[in-house]
Amino acid sequence: MSELDRVVKPKNRRAKRFLQHRESKLTENDKYAMLIKGGNANLIVTQALKDLRSLKKPYSVMYKRKNMTRPFEDPTSLEFFSKKSDCSLFVFGSHNKKRPNNLIFGRMFDFHVLDMIELGLEKFVPLQDVKSAKCPEGTKPLLIFAGDAFEINEDYRRLKSLMIDFFRGPVVPAIRLAGLEHVLHFTAVDGKIFMRSYKVLLKKSGCRTPRIELEEMGPSFDFVMRRTHLASDDLYKLAMKRPKALQAKKKKNISHDTFGTQYGRIHMQKQDLNKLQTRKVKALKKRPAEKTSAANKNSPKKSKTE
């Protein structure tokens, strides 16, 4: 058994509460991300990690010291940091002659690397260089993905899933219109991924619904995909599996359409339309003579007996 997998017994109540917080739950805690600098990270990579941390706040942990590790060759150190800081997401920044301005996005499953995607940073505009109003810390962003590659290519499809996992933030039961302040837009075209960050401005439109305008607030990234380390289909399916207690139970005679509208089917006995009570109108009301003739027709004839 490795050092990471050993059973840790709490020595006091504080340690017991800490371990209970990390135990598996039906509804998991919000996912934290750790941002780690490589041994030869330059100023561009360091600033990119700081800006990613500002977008992820307060669910992020920044390691200030440089770490001499290579995730694609030996991810043991990343798994150690993941278990130590209880982070299931990570970004590793490095720089060398062969792969300049390198960022590795990844996620963990059971404190072991599930997916890793290496992105090269070709163009970067820091958050501080864009002179505009910023969103408050912890704002839940609206994610938009444009490009056929996110639906066709398997690597881009996993990258889309990874970015949603990274930037989605906490799960909320409802959203108000004024709370939609931040938009993250991802565009995949010509083998590149463009990431832009916008602030939503609500303008007067003369009616109840406001007019929407987007103002770029930074940071902006131009990525190119390099190496990938994707989980197998079986492991990926296991990581996406939901507990039975959270699965919605199927209800009989209830269905939903693509827009979420609920339809119900009701089973009733066969109705006799002759006994159906309709609206009473004086023009359709029978006269006394008509009622008498109808009663005579319906009454059975009696045979005379001598």
Side-chain angles (χ1 to χ4, degrees), residues 17-274:
R17 289 195 301 268
F18 178 78
L19 293 177
Q20 286 178 349
H21 180 72
R22 291 194 174 188
E23 286 181 352
S24 300
K25 307 177 183 65
L26 289 177
T27 303
E28 292 291 340
N29 304 326
D30 296 326
K31 293 185 178 181
Y32 279 71
M34 56 181 182
L35 299 101
I36 305 173
K37 293 190 294 184
N40 47 0
N42 57 4
L43 293 177
I44 296 177
V45 172
T46 303
Q47 186 61 42
L49 291 175
K50 290 181 180 179
D51 288 356
L52 288 173
R53 184 202 176 193
S54 64
L55 294 178
K56 185 64 178 172
K57 276 184 178 181
Y59 305 102
S60 60
V61 177
M62 183 80 177
Y63 285 85
K64 297 183 179 180
R65 293 185 179 181
K66 295 184 177 181
N67 297 272
M68 297 297 296
T69 181
R70 296 178 179 178
F72 278 89
E73 297 177 7
D74 185 16
T76 307
S77 58
L78 290 180
E79 294 172 356
F80 171 76
F81 289 136
S82 173
K83 192 161 188 178
K84 183 179 179 181
S85 56
D86 194 20
C87 294
S88 56
L89 304 166
F90 69 89
V91 180
F92 182 83
S94 61
H95 174 77
N96 53 49
K97 186 176 181 180
K98 188 177 181 180
R99 297 183 182 89
N101 301 330
N102 209 40
L103 292 177
I104 300 175
F105 288 80
R107 53 186 168 183
M108 303 284 182
F109 173 64
D110 196 19
F111 300 111
H112 295 286
V113 174
L114 180 68
D115 289 332
M116 279 192 301
I117 298 179
E118 187 178 62
L119 300 176
L121 189 57
E122 291 191 341
K123 185 180 178 182
F124 169 59
V125 179
L127 188 66
Q128 59 188 5
D129 289 358
V130 181
K131 306 300 180 182
S132 63
K134 312 299 181 185
C135 291
E137 179 182 318
T139 303
K140 187 178 177 69
L142 183 69
L143 304 179
I144 302 175
F145 292 86
D148 296 334
F150 287 121
E151 305 296 334
I152 300 173
N153 194 314
E154 181 63 26
D155 293 342
Y156 281 83
R157 193 183 295 115
R158 290 288 182 92
L159 177 63
K160 177 182 176 181
S161 175
L162 179 58
M163 290 300 178
I164 292 175
D165 222 9
F166 193 88
F167 291 107
R168 64 180 299 182
V171 179
V172 294
I175 299 175
R176 62 188 181 97
L177 181 61
L180 298 176
E181 301 182 63
H182 188 199
V183 174
L184 287 178
H185 192 280
F186 299 87
T187 306
V189 60
D190 298 333
K192 295 183 180 181
I193 301 102
F194 302 96
M195 175 181 167
R196 299 293 183 266
S197 178
Y198 299 98
K199 179 179 175 60
V200 179
L201 302 178
L202 302 178
K203 301 289 186 177
K204 293 183 179 180
S205 61
C207 59
R208 186 175 182 181
T209 304
R211 181 169 53 89
I212 305 297
E213 289 187 3
L214 297 180
E215 181 183 14
E216 188 170 359
M217 70 171 194
S220 66
F221 300 88
D222 291 357
F223 293 119
V224 59
M225 188 176 293
R226 291 173 180 169
R227 294 180 293 176
T228 59
H229 172 78
L230 305 180
S232 61
D233 294 337
D234 296 336
L235 182 60
Y236 187 73
K237 186 177 180 181
L238 180 63
M240 298 290 289
K241 186 177 180 181
R242 297 186 62 190
K244 290 185 178 180
L246 292 180
Q247 293 179 2
K249 295 183 179 179
K250 188 176 181 180
K251 297 182 180 179
K252 293 177 64 177
N253 305 321
I254 293 179
S255 60
H256 297 81
D257 60 3
T258 54
F259 299 102
T261 308
Q262 182 175 336
Y263 296 96
R265 180 179 295 179
I266 302 175
H267 296 276
M268 301 178 63
Q269 295 180 354
K270 188 176 180 180
Q271 293 183 340
D272 187 1
L273 299 180
N274 294 326

